[in-house]
Short mmCIF file of all heavy atoms in Angstrom, two decimals:
data_model
loop_
_atom_site.label_atom_id
_atom_site.label_comp_id
_atom_site.label_asym_id
_atom_site.label_seq_id
_atom_site.Cartn_x
_atom_site.Cartn_y
_atom_site.Cartn_z
N ILE A 180 12.59 32.71 10.07
CA ILE A 180 11.73 33.91 9.88
C ILE A 180 11.74 34.36 8.42
O ILE A 180 12.82 34.65 7.87
CB ILE A 180 12.24 35.09 10.77
CG1 ILE A 180 12.34 34.64 12.26
CG2 ILE A 180 11.38 36.35 10.54
CD1 ILE A 180 13.32 35.55 13.06
N THR A 200 17.07 45.62 13.44
CA THR A 200 16.28 45.09 14.57
C THR A 200 16.15 43.60 14.34
O THR A 200 16.32 42.84 15.28
CB THR A 200 14.92 45.76 14.66
OG1 THR A 200 15.09 47.20 14.65
CG2 THR A 200 14.16 45.44 15.93
N TRP A 201 15.79 43.16 13.16
CA TRP A 201 15.50 41.80 12.79
C TRP A 201 16.76 41.02 12.88
O TRP A 201 16.78 39.85 13.43
CB TRP A 201 14.89 41.65 11.43
CG TRP A 201 13.32 41.93 11.59
CD1 TRP A 201 12.74 43.05 11.34
CD2 TRP A 201 12.40 41.06 12.17
NE1 TRP A 201 11.38 43.00 11.61
CE2 TRP A 201 11.13 41.73 12.12
CE3 TRP A 201 12.41 39.70 12.66
CZ2 TRP A 201 9.94 41.10 12.61
CZ3 TRP A 201 11.25 39.09 13.11
CH2 TRP A 201 10.05 39.81 13.00
N VAL A 202 17.82 41.57 12.40
CA VAL A 202 19.17 40.78 12.43
C VAL A 202 19.55 40.59 13.89
O VAL A 202 19.98 39.54 14.26
CB VAL A 202 20.21 41.50 11.54
CG1 VAL A 202 21.58 40.98 11.84
CG2 VAL A 202 19.85 41.50 10.16
N ASP A 203 19.48 41.62 14.66
CA ASP A 203 19.81 41.51 16.05
C ASP A 203 19.00 40.59 16.86
O ASP A 203 19.49 39.76 17.63
CB ASP A 203 19.74 42.95 16.76
CG ASP A 203 20.77 43.93 16.31
OD1 ASP A 203 21.72 43.37 15.57
OD2 ASP A 203 20.71 45.07 16.60
N TYR A 204 17.68 40.55 16.54
CA TYR A 204 16.79 39.62 17.13
C TYR A 204 17.11 38.17 16.71
O TYR A 204 17.22 37.24 17.55
CB TYR A 204 15.31 39.92 16.59
CG TYR A 204 14.33 38.95 17.07
CD1 TYR A 204 13.69 39.08 18.28
CD2 TYR A 204 13.84 37.86 16.29
CE1 TYR A 204 12.74 38.23 18.82
CE2 TYR A 204 12.90 37.01 16.77
CZ TYR A 204 12.31 37.15 17.98
OH TYR A 204 11.32 36.36 18.44
N ALA A 205 17.51 37.90 15.40
CA ALA A 205 17.92 36.61 15.00
C ALA A 205 19.19 36.15 15.66
O ALA A 205 19.35 34.93 16.01
CB ALA A 205 18.10 36.61 13.46
N ILE A 206 20.13 37.04 15.78
CA ILE A 206 21.36 36.81 16.50
C ILE A 206 21.10 36.33 17.93
O ILE A 206 21.61 35.25 18.46
CB ILE A 206 22.40 38.02 16.47
CG1 ILE A 206 22.86 38.15 15.02
CG2 ILE A 206 23.61 37.68 17.41
CD1 ILE A 206 23.69 39.44 14.76
N ALA A 207 20.32 37.06 18.59
CA ALA A 207 20.05 36.77 20.07
C ALA A 207 19.23 35.54 20.26
O ALA A 207 19.41 34.88 21.27
CB ALA A 207 19.19 38.04 20.62
N ASN A 208 18.50 35.20 19.21
CA ASN A 208 17.54 33.90 19.41
C ASN A 208 18.14 32.75 18.62
O ASN A 208 17.44 31.79 18.52
CB ASN A 208 16.15 34.28 18.90
CG ASN A 208 15.51 35.16 19.92
OD1 ASN A 208 15.16 34.80 21.02
ND2 ASN A 208 15.29 36.45 19.58
N LYS A 209 19.25 32.90 17.96
CA LYS A 209 19.89 31.84 17.16
C LYS A 209 18.84 31.35 16.03
O LYS A 209 18.63 30.27 15.76
CB LYS A 209 20.26 30.58 17.95
CG LYS A 209 21.42 30.89 19.04
CD LYS A 209 21.91 29.67 19.57
CE LYS A 209 23.24 29.79 20.18
NZ LYS A 209 23.30 29.53 21.60
N SER A 210 18.12 32.32 15.53
CA SER A 210 17.14 32.14 14.44
C SER A 210 17.86 32.39 13.08
O SER A 210 18.93 33.09 13.03
CB SER A 210 15.96 33.06 14.59
OG SER A 210 15.34 32.96 15.91
N ILE A 211 17.20 31.98 12.00
CA ILE A 211 17.73 32.38 10.65
C ILE A 211 16.59 33.10 9.92
O ILE A 211 15.39 32.72 9.92
CB ILE A 211 18.18 31.11 10.00
CG1 ILE A 211 19.36 30.55 10.60
CG2 ILE A 211 18.35 31.37 8.49
CD1 ILE A 211 19.90 29.24 9.94
N ILE A 212 16.97 34.28 9.30
CA ILE A 212 16.06 34.99 8.56
C ILE A 212 16.11 34.49 7.05
O ILE A 212 17.22 34.43 6.48
CB ILE A 212 16.48 36.53 8.47
CG1 ILE A 212 16.28 37.06 9.99
CG2 ILE A 212 15.61 37.28 7.51
CD1 ILE A 212 16.86 38.45 10.13
N VAL A 240 23.23 35.11 10.16
CA VAL A 240 21.79 34.78 10.45
C VAL A 240 20.91 34.81 9.22
O VAL A 240 19.63 34.75 9.51
CB VAL A 240 21.27 35.57 11.62
CG1 VAL A 240 21.94 35.34 12.91
CG2 VAL A 240 21.35 37.12 11.17
#
Side-chain angles (χ1 to χ4, degrees):
I180 303 159
T200 311
W201 280 99
V202 168
D203 291 346
Y204 178 83
I206 293 171
N208 290 289
K209 298 192 163 123
S210 310
I211 290 179
I212 296 170
V240 292

